[in-house]
C-alpha cells in the first residue's frame, strides 16, 4: 500500500447496517419480504399517518441480543429508543426511530484472521436497533422521483466498529467476519445485492507515529466486499494526495462510484445535519432481564470461531483452512459431513476448498444448491482412499458427478475408470513403453535422470491415466534400472 | 321536545326504557346543530347521514335488548380523532383535505358502545391553544357569551355540549385542553391518567402529555363515556394494562373523611378575584361535608408553564414533521424542488401558533441547546412530579382553580403568546405528572362559569368521579345552561 | 435570550418552514419572548435529578409477536395522496 510506504497510517471504522430477518417490521406488522410491488407493504404506521404509533417487535430484540452475546458484548438491561430528526422523502415521519445514548448492545469484539495468517481483535463500539427508510426511484418519472415505502420500517441492527482497522484488507476481513456471524446467527440473510447488508466506511489518515486522529470522511453505498476494498484504497490515496499537496481533508460524506472507481461528495449531505436526538416519547424504555438473555443464549449455535478452533484441533486443519471452511454454517456443515463420511478430514478440506468451491464459483451457486451433495462427495473421496481411483482421475469423476448428477461409483463403472493396481498389468505397460522408446531408455541408463518423468507420462498415457501412480513409480524404477 | 335538557346518562336510560328512539334523539340534536352551529362554529363537520345510520343500528340493538348505557346516545368527537371516511382536519389547513382511512381507538370503542356520531368538533390548530382562536375554520364562540372564547384547544366540543347541541363530546388534554374549556363553559371536563386511554388514532401534539377525555354535563356522563373509552390498547405502547373499573358503579362512594389539599401556589397573583372566591367557597363546602382541608406547598409548580413550553414544543416539532406534502395533507402548487415542496407546503399548511411552537421545539432540541433547555425541562418535570407525589402522601385529592379567569373576549390575548400560555397555569402540572384531573362547575364570575379543579394521584379516576358526583348531588351549577340554549 | 434574524432563519430551515420577509421580525420577537420566558428553568436546582421522559414510572416497552397482520391497502391509503404514479409517491427529483 503506497500510503503506508510513504509513512502514512490509515484509520478505518466501519458502520454496518444488517437488515434483521424478522417476518414483520420493527414497529409495525407489515411484511418485510423483498420484491413486493411498490407500497404494497406500507401500512399506516409505516406511512407515518397522523395518529399512528410504533409497537416493538420482540424478534428484532432477540436478534439484537443474539448478536450482542456472539461478540461478547454486554446487553443493556435498559435501552432507549430515540428520534433522529431530518427531512427526506424516504423517511415518512420526518424522523427515524433509532437508539442514541443507550443502545441495546454495548461494547464487544470480533476476531479477524487475515490471509497472511495474522490475527487481530477488532472492537465493536456498540450495536443498536433502528428502522430502515424507504427507497427512491428516479427512472421514468420525468423530473420527479417516486418513493416506495415497502422498506420503511424494516428492522436494522447498526453495528459500529471501533476505528481499529488499519487497512482496506483488514476492513474487508472484518466486514466478512460480521457477515459470517450474522448469517450463522440467522439474524440476517447477508444478501448485499438486495441491500440486506450495507456498509459505510469512516476513513482518515495520519502520519505514522501520530496519535491524534485525522479528519475523517464517511463513504456510503458500499454493497460488496470488492467495493469496500477499492473505495477505501481510493479514499486513502485521495486524502494522502490532498494533504501532501498542501490541502486539508474536509469532513464530508462521500459516495463510492463503482463505474468510475472513485468517491465523490454526496449532494444531499452537503450541510451538516443537526439531528436533534431525543428519547422517543411513544416508546417506553426497553428492559431486557436475565431470563430473556439466558433464553437467547441457550439458542445460540456453535459460533464460527469456536467451530474453526474445533476443526483445527480435531481435524488437524490449519487456522486459515478452518477459517475458510467455517465462513458459513452451511459450508461448515457440508465439510463436516464429507469429513465424517470419508473419514479423511484433510482430504475433505482440500476437495471442499478446491474443486467444489471452484465449481460453485464457476456456476454462481451457494453451497446449498450444489448438485454434488456431501454424502456423494464423501463417497467419491472414499474411492480415492481405498485406491479405486487416483487423485488425478478423481477430478474427472467429480466433474461428471457435477454435470450428470450421478454418484462416484456409477461414473467410475460407466467410464471404466478403476485404477489399475495389478502389478502384472503395470509391468506389461512399462515394458511396452520401454520397448517403444529405446533411445530414451539408453539415455536414461546413461545418466539422464530427468527422463524418468517422460517414462511416467508415457506409462500413464498408455494406461489412460488409470495406473496407480505409486506402483508405477516403484516398478518403473526397478525396470528402468536394468535387466 | 327537550331531550337536550337530559344528560347523556338520562338519554341512555330513556332509550333503554323505549321512551323515545335513538333516531328521534339524533334528529333532535341534528336540528339543534343546524340552528346553532353557524353562530357558535362548534362543528367542522356534521355527519348527519352517518348519525342516522348509527341511530338506526342502535335502535335495532335496543329492540333486541342488547343495548348498554350509551347505546343510541349521540356524541361529538374532537376533530383530532381519526374517523374513517370522514374529514379529520385537526383544525388545520394542513389537513383540510384529509379523509382518515381508519378509526381512532377512542372512536372505535364509543362506536362499539353504540354511540351515535353527530360530527367532528372545531379545535385549536393541532391542539395548540387555550381559546380555540387558532383554528383554520375560525374561532369557536362561547355559548355563555358569544363575544367570548370557550377555551381551548377542545373549544368546539365544549361549546357543543355547553349549548346542548350535543349531549357529550370527546376532547384531548395536553396542558389543560379539556379542563380549561370545561371551566369556561360550565362543564365537567375530565382528563384521565396518562396511559388510561389509547392514543392510537389521536393526532399527536405532545406524545408524553396528550390524553383523551370527556367534555360532559355531569360526573355520571363522564364516568360512562370514560368507562367505554378506557383500557389497554396493544397499538399504543404507552397505554396501560391495568383493568378498567366500573366508573359508573363507583360514583356513589361517600366523600366523608376526604383529605383535600389546596395548592398554595395556585392562589397567588394572577387569579381573578371572583374566580378565586367561587373556588374557595366550593372547597369550604367540602369541609362542611366532613372533608379535611390542608394547605400544601408544591414549590416547583410555578415552573410548570415554562417546563411545558419546552417539552411540548419539542415533541410537537418532531410529531409534525410527517406533514410534508408527500403522502397526505396539504401540498403547495408546482413545487420547484424538494426544499420548496417542504417549505411551502408546511408554510402554507400551518398557522402562526403552530409554526411558533415547531420553531421553539426545533430550537430547544438543537445542538448546543438540548442540555440547557430540553434536558433541563425534563428534570424540572421530575421535580414537579415529586412535589405531587409528596402531596398525595398526605392528601387524597388536590383542589384549586382550573383557570385564572372566566372566559375572556375573542381577540383579547391573541397578540401575546405568553399571556395566552398563562391560561394553563393551573392545569399544566397534572399533564407533566400524568395525573388524572377534572374540572367541575362551581360558580359564576361576572355571569360566566367558574371551574373547580380536582387532581388525584395516578389511576384515581374513581375517586375524582366520586368527588365530582358528590359535588353535583349537592349543587346545581352543572345543570345551568347558557341563555338561549335551554 | 434574544434571537437574531439569522437564528430564526436557521431554525425555520431546520424545520422546513417558509417564513416570509414580513413575518420574520414577528417570529424573531415572539420566539425571543418565549425563550426569555422559559429561561426561569435555569435557576431550578436539578443537580442530581433524573430527567422524566415518561409520566408513568416503572413501565417498560411491551413487545409484539413477530407476525404479519397487515395487507396491501395501497389503493385506499393513496386515495389521500397529493401526487402518485404507478403506486409511487411523487416528489421533485433529488439527484445524488
Amino acid at each position: 500500500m503506497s500510503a503506508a510506504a510513504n509513512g502514512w497510517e490509515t484509520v478505518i471504522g466501519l458502520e454496518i447496517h444488517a437488515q434483521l430477518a424478522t417476518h414483520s417490521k420493527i414497529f409495525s406488522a407489515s411484511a418485510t419480504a423483498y420484491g413486493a410491488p411498490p407500497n404494497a407493504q406500507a401500512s399506516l404506521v409505516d406511512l407515518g399517518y397522523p395518529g399512528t404509533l410504533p409497537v416493538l417487535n420482540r424478534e428484532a430484540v432477540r436478534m439484537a441480543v443474539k448478536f450482542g452475546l456472539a461478540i461478547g458484548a454486554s446487553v443493556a438491561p435498559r435501552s432507549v429508543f430515540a428520534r433522529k430528526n431530518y427531512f427526506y422523502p424516504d423517511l415518512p415521519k420526518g424522523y427515524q426511530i433509532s437508539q442514541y445514548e443507550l443502545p441495546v448492545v454495548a461494547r464487544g469484539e470480533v476476531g479477524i484472521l487475515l490471509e497472511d495468517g495474522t490475527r487481530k481483535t477488532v472492537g465493536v463500539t456498540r450495536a443498536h436497533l433502528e428502522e430502515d427508510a424507504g427507497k427512491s426511484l428516479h427512472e421514468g418519472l420525468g423530473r420527479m422521483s417516486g418513493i416506495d415505502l415497502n422498506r420503511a420500517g424494516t428492522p436494522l441492527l447498526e453495528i459500529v466498529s471501533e476505528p481499529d482497522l488499519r487497512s482496506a484488507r483488514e476492513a474487508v476481513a472484518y466486514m466478512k467476519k460480521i457477515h459470517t456471524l450474522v448469517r450463522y446467527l440467522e439474524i440476517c440473510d447477508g444478501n448485499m445485492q438486495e441491500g440486506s447488508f450495507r456498509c459505510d466506511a469512516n476513513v482518515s489518515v495520519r502520519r505514522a507515529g501520530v496519535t491524534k486522529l485525522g479528519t475523517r470522511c464517511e463513504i456510503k453505498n458500499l454493497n460488496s466486499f470488492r467495493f469496500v476494498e477499492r473505495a477505501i484504497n481510493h479514499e486513502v490515496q485521495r486524502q494522502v494526495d490532498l494533504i501532501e499537496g498542501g490541502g486539508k481533508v474536509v469532513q464530508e460524506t462521500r459516495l463510492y462510484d463503482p463505474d468510475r472507481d472513485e468517491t465523490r461528495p454526496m449532494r444531499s449531505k452537503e450541510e451538516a445535519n443537526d439531528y436533534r436526538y431525543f428519547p422517543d416519547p411513544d416508546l417506553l424504555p426497553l428492559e431486557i432481564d436475565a431470563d430473556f438473555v439466558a433464553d437467547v443464549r441457550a439458542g445460540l449455535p456453535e459460533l464460527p470461531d469456536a467451530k474453526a478452533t474445533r476443526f483445527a484441533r480435531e481435524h488437524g486443519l490449519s487456522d486459515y483452512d478452518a477459517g475458510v471452511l467455517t465462513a458459513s454454517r452451511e459450508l461448515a456443515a457440508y465439510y463436516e459431513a464429507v469429513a465424517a463420511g470419508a473419514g479423511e478430514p484433510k482430504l475433505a478440506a482440500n476437495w471442499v476448498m478446491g474443486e467444489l468451491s471452484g465449481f460453485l464459483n464457476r456456476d454462481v451457486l451457494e453451497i446449498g444448491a450444489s448438485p454434488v451433495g456431501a454424502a456423494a462427495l464423501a463417497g467419491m473421496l472414499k474411492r480415492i482412499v481405498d485406491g479405486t481411483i487416483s487423485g488425478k482421475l478423481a477430478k474427472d469423476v467429480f466433474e461428471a458427478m457435477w454435470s450428470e448428477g450421478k454418484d462416484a461409483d456409477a461414473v467410475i463403472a460407466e467410464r471404466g475408470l478403476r485404477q489399475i493396481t495389478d502389478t502384472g498389468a503395470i509391468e506389461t505397460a512399462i515394458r511396452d513403453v520401454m520397448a517403444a522408446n529405446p533411445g530414451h531408455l539408453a539415455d536414461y541408463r546413461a545418466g539422464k535422470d530427468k527422463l524418468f518423468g517422460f517414462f511416467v507420462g508415457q506409462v500413464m498415457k498408455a494406461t489412460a491415466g488409470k495406473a496407480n501412480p505409486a506402483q508405477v513409480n516403484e516398478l518403473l524404477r526397478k525396470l528402468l534400472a536394468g535387466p | 321536545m327537550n331531550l337536550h335538557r337530559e344528560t347523556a346518562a338520562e338519554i341512555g336510560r330513556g332509550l333503554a326504557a323505549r321512551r323515545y328512539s335513538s333516531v328521534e334523539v339524533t334528529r333532535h340534536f341534528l336540528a339543534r346543530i343546524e340552528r346553532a352551529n353557524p353562530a357558535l362554529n362548534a362543528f367542522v363537520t356534521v355527519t348527519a347521514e352517518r348519525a342516522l345510520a348509527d341511530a338506526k343500528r342502535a335502535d335495532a340493538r335496543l329492540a333486541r335488548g342488547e343495548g348498554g348505557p350509551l347505546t343510541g346516545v349521540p356524541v361529538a368527537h374532537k376533530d383530532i380523532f381519526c374517523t374513517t371516511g370522514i374529514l379529520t382536519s385537526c383544525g388545520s389547513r394542513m389537513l383540510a383535505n384529509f379523509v382518515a382511512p381508519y378509526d381512532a381507538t377512542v372512536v372505535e370503542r364509543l362506536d362499539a358502545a353504540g354511540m351515535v356520531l353527530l360530527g367532528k368538533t372545531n379545535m385549536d390548530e393541532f391542539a395548540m391553544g387555550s381559546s380555540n382562536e387558532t383554528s383554520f375554520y375560525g374561532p369557536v364562540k362561547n355559548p355563555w357569551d358569544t363575544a367570548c372564547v370557550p377555551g381551548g384547544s377542545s373549544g368546539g366540543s365544549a361549546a357543543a355540549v355547553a349549548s346542548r347541541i350535543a349531549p357529550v363530546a370527546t376532547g384531548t388534554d395536553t396542558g389543560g385542553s379539556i379542563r380549561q374549556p370545561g371551566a369556561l363553559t360550565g362543564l365537567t371536563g375530565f382528563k384521565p391518567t396518562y396511559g388510561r386511554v389509547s392514543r392510537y388514532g389521536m393526532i399527536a401534539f405532545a406524545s408524553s402529555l396528550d390524553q383523551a377525555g370527556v367534555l360532559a354535563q355531569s360526573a355520571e356522563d363522564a364516568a360512562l363515556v370514560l368507562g367505554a373509552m378506557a383500557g389497554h390498547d396493544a397499538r399504543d405502547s404507552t397505554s396501560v394494562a391495568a383493568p378498567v373499573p366500573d366508573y359508573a358503579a363507583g360514583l356513589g362512594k361517600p366523600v366523608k373523611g376526604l383529605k383535600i389539599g389546596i395548592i398554595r401556589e395556585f392562589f397567588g397573583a394572577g387569579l381573578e378575584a371572583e374566580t378565586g372566591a367561587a373556588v374557595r367557597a366550593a372547597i369550604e363546602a367540602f369541609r362542611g361535608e366532613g372533608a379535611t382541608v390542608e394547605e400544601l406547598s408544591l414549590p416547583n409548580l410555578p415552573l410548570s408553564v415554562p417546563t411545558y413550553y419546552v417539552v411540548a414544543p419539542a415533541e410537537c416539532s418532531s410529531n409534525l414533521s410527517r406533514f410534508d406534502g408527500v403522502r397526505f395533507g396539504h401540498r403547495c402548487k408546482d413545487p420547484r424542488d424538494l426544499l420548496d415542496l417542504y417549505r411551502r407546503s408546511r408554510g402554507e399548511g400551518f398557522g402562526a401558533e403552530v409554526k411558533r411552537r415547531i420553531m421553539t421545539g426545533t430550537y430547544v432540541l438543537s445542538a448546543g441547546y438540548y442540555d440547557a433547555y430540553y434536558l433541563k425541562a425534563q428534570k424540572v418535570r421530575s421535580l414537579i412530579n415529586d412535589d405531587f407525589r409528596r402531596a398525595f402522601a398526605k392528601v387524597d385529592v388536590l383542589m384549586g382553580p382550573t383557570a385564572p379567569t372566566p372566559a375572556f373576549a375573542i381577540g383579547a390575548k391573541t397578540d401575546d403568546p405568553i399571556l395566552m400560555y398563562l391560561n394553563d397555569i393551573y392545569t399544566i402540572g397534572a399533564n407533566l405528572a400524568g395525573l388524572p384531573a377534572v374540572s367541575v362547575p362551581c360558580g359564576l364570575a361576572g355571569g360566566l362559569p367558574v371551574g373547580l379543579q380536582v387532581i388525584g394521584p395516578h389511576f384515581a379516576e374513581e375517586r375524582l368521579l366520586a368527588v365530582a358526583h358528590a359535588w353535583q348531588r349537592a349543587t346545581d351549577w352543572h345543570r345551568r345552561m347558557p341563555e338561549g340554549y335551554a | 435570550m434574544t434571537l437574531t434574524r439569522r437564528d430564526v432563519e436557521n431554525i425555520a430551515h431546520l424545520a422546513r418552514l417558509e417564513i416570509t420577509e414580513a413575518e420574520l421580525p414577528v417570529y424573531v420577537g415572539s420566539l425571543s419572548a418565549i425563550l426569555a420566558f422559559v429561561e426561569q428553568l435555569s435557576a431550578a436546582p436539578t443537580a442530581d435529578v433524573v430527567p422524566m421522559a415518561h409520566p408513568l414510572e416503572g413501565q417498560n416497552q411491551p413487545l409484539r409477536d413477530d407476525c404479519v397482520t397487515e395487507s396491501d391497502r395501497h389503493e385506499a391509503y393513496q386515495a389521500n395522496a397529493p401526487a402518485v404514479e404507478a403506486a409511487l409517491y411523487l416528489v421533485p427529483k433529488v439527484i445524488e
Side-chain angles (χ1 to χ4, degrees):
Chain A
M1 187 64 245
S2 63
N6 291 355
W8 286 94
E9 185 178 55
T10 305
V11 176
I12 303 158
L14 290 187
E15 276 171 27
I16 291 170
H17 288 88
Q19 251 181 26
L20 296 179
T22 53
H23 299 303
S24 61
K25 295 186 180 179
I26 187 172
F27 295 117
S28 80
S30 300
T32 52
Y34 184 82
N39 291 301
Q41 286 172 186
S43 70
L44 293 171
V45 175
D46 304 328
L47 294 167
Y49 259 71
T52 57
L53 296 167
V55 188
L56 182 58
N57 183 332
R58 180 184 299 108
E59 193 56 29
V61 178
R62 286 184 63 90
M63 290 183 171
V65 172
K66 257 196 197 176
F67 182 79
L69 294 174
I71 63 168
S74 53
V75 172
R78 187 172 165 275
S79 65
V80 172
F81 286 96
R83 295 187 184 180
K84 179 179 183 182
N85 295 281
Y86 65 97
F87 285 90
Y88 205 67
D90 64 6
L91 193 68
K93 293 187 294 294
Y95 59 85
Q96 176 197 31
I97 302 178
S98 179
Q99 294 188 299
Y100 186 57
E101 287 174 339
L102 287 176
V104 58
V105 170
R107 228 206 115 112
E109 58 192 30
V110 148
I112 59 175
L113 181 61
L114 299 169
E115 272 162 29
D116 65 4
T118 4
R119 280 191 188 282
K120 188 174 166 139
T121 302
V122 180
V124 175
T125 316
R126 52 184 272 159
H128 69 253
L129 286 166
E130 59 184 26
E131 56 179 350
D132 207 347
K135 276 195 187 146
S136 311
L137 283 88
H138 307 293
E139 306 303 313
L141 296 163
R143 49 172 288 273
M144 306 297 263
S145 292
I147 310 296
D148 175 10
L149 294 167
N150 282 346
R151 200 181 67 177
T154 306
L156 293 177
L157 186 66
E158 178 172 330
I159 302 161
V160 183
S161 83
E162 291 283 319
D164 290 346
L165 303 161
R166 292 287 172 270
S167 70
R169 288 270 158 84
E170 285 186 14
V172 172
Y174 168 79
M175 187 177 164
K176 283 185 172 171
K177 188 57 182 287
I178 300 286
H179 189 253
T180 295
L181 202 49
V182 299
R183 286 175 305 130
Y184 257 73
L185 295 169
E186 294 179 304
I187 63 176
C188 175
D189 69 13
N191 187 329
M192 286 185 268
Q193 264 91 310
E194 289 181 359
S196 323
F197 191 84
R198 317 199 285 256
C199 183
D200 299 334
N202 286 300
V203 181
S204 67
V205 298
R206 62 186 175 196
R207 296 237 179 239
V210 168
T211 45
K212 186 162 177 280
L213 289 170
T215 307
R216 65 165 204 260
C217 286
E218 185 186 13
I219 313 173
K220 296 187 94 71
N221 191 34
L222 299 168
N223 60 7
S224 81
F225 300 121
R226 218 171 55 251
F227 288 176
V228 168
E229 187 160 4
R230 288 215 227 127
I232 292 175
N233 283 332
H234 177 273
E235 179 61 16
V236 166
Q237 197 58 57
R238 183 191 77 87
Q239 290 191 13
V240 166
D241 288 346
L242 187 56
I243 300 172
E244 284 185 339
K248 267 201 203 174
V249 174
V250 168
Q251 183 174 336
E252 58 187 357
T253 305
R254 299 174 73 86
L255 205 57
Y256 177 66
D257 181 342
D259 299 324
R260 292 197 175 148
D261 188 28
E262 66 178 21
T263 65
R264 57 169 197 279
M266 252 180 109
R267 258 144 146 264
S268 64
K269 307 266 178 175
E270 255 155 27
E271 34 173 275
N273 248 312
D274 181 355
Y275 294 119
R276 290 159 275 133
Y277 284 99
F278 72 103
D280 192 330
D282 289 330
L283 291 163
L284 297 172
L286 173 61
E287 290 189 7
I288 297 172
D289 62 21
D291 286 342
F292 190 100
V293 175
D295 190 60
V296 174
R297 194 190 291 278
L300 286 177
E302 184 183 31
L303 295 176
D305 285 352
K307 205 188 279 291
T309 306
R310 182 167 63 81
F311 283 0
R313 194 183 64 238
E314 288 176 9
H315 300 178
L317 301 180
S318 72
D319 286 341
Y320 183 78
D321 288 356
V324 171
L325 288 167
T326 54
S328 79
R329 258 168 100 176
E330 296 79 28
L331 185 63
Y334 186 98
Y335 159 73
E336 264 196 290
V338 174
E344 294 285 331
K346 286 212 172 102
L347 185 63
N350 288 341
W351 274 84
V352 171
M353 291 193 305
E355 289 297 296
L356 178 74
S357 291
F359 275 79
L360 287 172
N361 283 338
R362 184 197 76 180
D363 293 356
V364 195
L365 292 171
E366 291 295 318
I367 185 74
S370 169
V372 178
L377 179 55
M380 191 199 83
L381 295 183
K382 281 216 279 256
R383 292 293 164 258
I384 300 177
V385 170
D386 68 21
T388 307
I389 51 171
S390 67
K392 194 157 176 291
L393 269 184
K395 292 192 179 179
D396 297 336
V397 173
F398 184 78
E399 171 140 33
M401 287 167 72
W402 184 277
S403 52
E404 294 166 34
K406 298 191 176 128
D407 70 32
D409 286 344
V411 173
I412 291 168
E414 269 173 38
R415 299 190 185 190
L417 296 173
R418 291 191 75 88
Q419 198 166 222
I420 297 172
T421 52
D422 170 44
T423 320
I426 295 177
E427 272 199 30
T428 308
I430 291 173
R431 284 184 204 286
D432 287 348
V433 164
M434 282 164 63
N437 296 280
H440 284 98
L441 182 58
D443 289 342
Y444 177 80
R445 281 177 176 163
K448 271 207 178 146
D449 294 330
K450 277 192 336 201
L451 286 172
F452 187 81
F454 166 76
F455 282 104
V456 170
Q458 289 301 300
V459 171
M460 293 311 279
K461 204 163 128 201
T463 59
K466 290 185 279 188
N468 180 295
Q471 284 172 284
V472 167
N473 260 307
E474 199 196 311
L475 290 166
L476 198 51
R477 255 183 226 290
K478 213 176 70 189
L479 292 171
L480 285 176
Chain B
M1 231 187 348
N2 290 322
L3 280 167
H4 55 279
R5 298 221 186 122
E6 298 191 23
T7 65
E10 287 164 352
I11 294 173
R13 286 191 282 272
L15 286 166
R18 309 310 280 142
R19 280 204 291 279
Y20 34 73
S21 68
S22 178
V23 169
E24 285 178 83
V25 172
T26 302
R27 287 215 167 100
H28 181 78
F29 283 99
L30 287 173
R32 284 180 67 82
I33 292 170
E34 204 177 322
R35 278 196 308 275
N37 199 51
L40 295 175
N41 200 22
F43 279 85
V44 172
T45 305
V46 180
T47 52
E49 266 181 52
R50 160 72 183 265
L52 291 168
D54 283 353
K56 286 199 182 82
R57 250 195 320 272
D59 281 331
R61 267 173 82 174
L62 289 161
R64 289 195 301 268
E66 286 168 13
L70 294 171
T71 308
V73 178
V75 67
H77 281 301
K78 183 174 182 179
D79 211 10
I80 197 171
F81 293 103
C82 288
T83 40
T84 312
I86 301 166
L87 174 66
T88 300
S89 73
C90 222
S92 180
R93 182 176 179 198
M94 182 58 87
L95 293 177
N97 64 357
F98 181 68
V99 175
Y102 74 111
D103 280 336
T105 300
V106 162
V107 171
E108 262 179 18
R109 290 189 179 177
L110 294 188
D111 205 54
M115 297 196 86
V116 170
L117 178 56
L118 289 173
K120 309 296 292 299
T121 59
N122 204 348
M123 54 182 281
D124 274 310
E125 187 182 3
F126 282 103
M128 300 181 203
S130 309
S131 64
N132 218 134
E133 292 175 281
T134 67
S135 172
F136 173 62
Y137 297 95
V140 175
K141 318 294 175 52
N142 190 326
W144 288 83
D145 180 343
T146 54
C148 288
V149 302
S153 61
S154 311
S157 285
V161 178
S163 62
R164 305 295 192 267
I165 61 178
V168 71
T170 55
T172 63
D173 191 311
T174 305
S177 293
I178 287 176
R179 291 162 287 155
Q180 185 254 18
L184 269 50
T185 56
L187 295 176
T188 303
F190 198 99
K191 178 196 96 69
T193 308
Y194 183 86
R196 181 75 283 188
V197 179
S198 170
R199 292 186 297 115
Y200 186 76
M202 194 173 111
I203 298 175
F205 159 23
S207 316
S208 75
L209 302 166
D210 293 343
Q211 249 316 259
V214 198
L215 276 306
Q217 297 178 46
S218 66
E220 186 185 17
D221 282 3
L224 285 173
V225 177
L226 184 67
M229 280 165 62
H232 182 248
D233 181 6
R235 294 172 295 191
D236 174 2
S237 298
T238 60
S239 87
V240 162
V244 181
D246 184 342
Y247 293 127
L251 286 171
K253 282 205 176 84
V255 297
K256 198 170 168 72
L258 185 71
K259 295 198 289 249
I260 300 172
I262 53 174
I263 304 171
R264 177 181 309 146
E265 288 78 10
F266 280 6
F267 287 88
L271 178 58
E272 190 269 323
E274 273 190 80
T275 305
V279 171
R280 280 190 210 282
I283 297 173
E284 273 312 301
F286 273 98
R287 204 204 295 265
E289 290 297 309
T292 59
V293 180
E294 184 187 339
E295 192 185 76
L296 296 172
S297 172
L298 279 73
N300 294 291
L301 223 42
L303 291 173
S304 309
V305 183
T307 301
Y308 177 84
Y309 281 100
V310 170
V311 174
E315 292 181 4
C316 89
S317 71
S318 181
N319 283 332
L320 269 59
S321 293
R322 67 193 64 212
F323 301 108
D324 56 10
V326 178
R327 297 164 311 291
F328 44 75
H330 178 76
R331 179 175 175 122
C332 64
K333 273 192 162 45
D334 304 321
R336 286 188 309 272
D337 54 32
L338 187 62
L339 187 58
D340 187 45
L341 172 70
Y342 287 151
R343 288 173 64 107
R344 268 200 298 136
S345 299
R346 291 164 60 79
E348 291 166 7
F350 294 136
E353 182 59 36
V354 170
K355 285 194 274 227
R356 229 182 331 261
R357 295 202 197 189
I358 290 175
M359 286 196 280
T360 304
T362 304
Y363 184 81
V364 302
L365 288 174
S366 63
Y369 297 108
Y370 178 89
D371 284 0
Y373 288 100
Y374 186 76
L375 198 58
K376 183 76 180 180
Q378 293 286 49
K379 290 182 179 181
V380 177
R381 188 174 177 178
S382 280
L383 294 179
I384 292 169
N385 190 44
D386 288 342
D387 277 5
F388 276 113
R389 200 210 326 267
R390 270 191 294 273
F392 286 122
K394 299 190 196 153
V395 298
D396 298 321
V397 294
L398 291 165
M399 288 192 184
T402 305
T405 67
F408 46 90
I410 293 173
K413 300 187 185 184
T414 46
D415 286 341
D416 187 345
I418 310 248
L419 192 61
M420 187 63 85
Y421 296 166
L422 290 171
N423 283 308
D424 298 328
I425 196 167
Y426 307 128
T427 46
I428 278 176
N431 299 91
L432 291 171
L435 299 169
V438 65
S439 177
V440 288
C442 71
L444 297 173
L448 293 170
V450 172
L452 167 73
Q453 185 180 200
V454 189
I455 306 170
H458 293 123
F459 300 107
E461 283 80 11
E462 284 177 282
R463 183 184 308 168
L464 293 178
L465 288 163
V467 168
H469 187 66
W471 175 249
Q472 288 171 354
R473 270 201 312 240
T475 62
D476 72 346
W477 297 109
H478 63 292
R479 287 207 173 268
R480 308 255 183 121
M481 278 179 252
E483 252 184 67
Y485 292 96
Chain C
M1 180 73 217
T2 323
L3 296 177
T4 63
R5 276 178 60 107
R6 194 97 195 87
D7 289 332
V8 176
E9 278 168 354
N10 288 341
I11 297 167
H13 178 62
L14 267 180
R16 298 300 188 269
L17 293 171
E18 182 177 69
I19 308 285
T20 64
E21 259 310 301
E23 292 172 322
L24 196 53
V26 179
Y27 282 111
V28 172
S30 52
L31 289 173
S32 298
I34 293 168
L35 291 172
F37 174 68
V38 304
E39 208 53 50
Q40 319 168 37
L41 295 176
S42 58
T46 54
D48 293 310
V49 179
V50 175
M52 187 176 165
H54 290 283
L56 294 171
E57 282 135 82
Q59 257 197 279
N60 58 37
Q61 177 61 28
L63 300 175
R64 173 176 57 86
D65 288 344
D66 186 23
C67 296
V68 174
T69 56
E70 298 283 356
S71 56
D72 182 358
R73 308 268 331 272
H74 79 273
E75 273 165 33
Y77 298 163
Q78 289 181 346
N80 256 322
V84 165
E85 193 178 309
L88 296 164
Y89 294 98
L90 297 181
V91 297
K93 204 179 228 134
V94 182
I95 310 135
E96 240 355 306

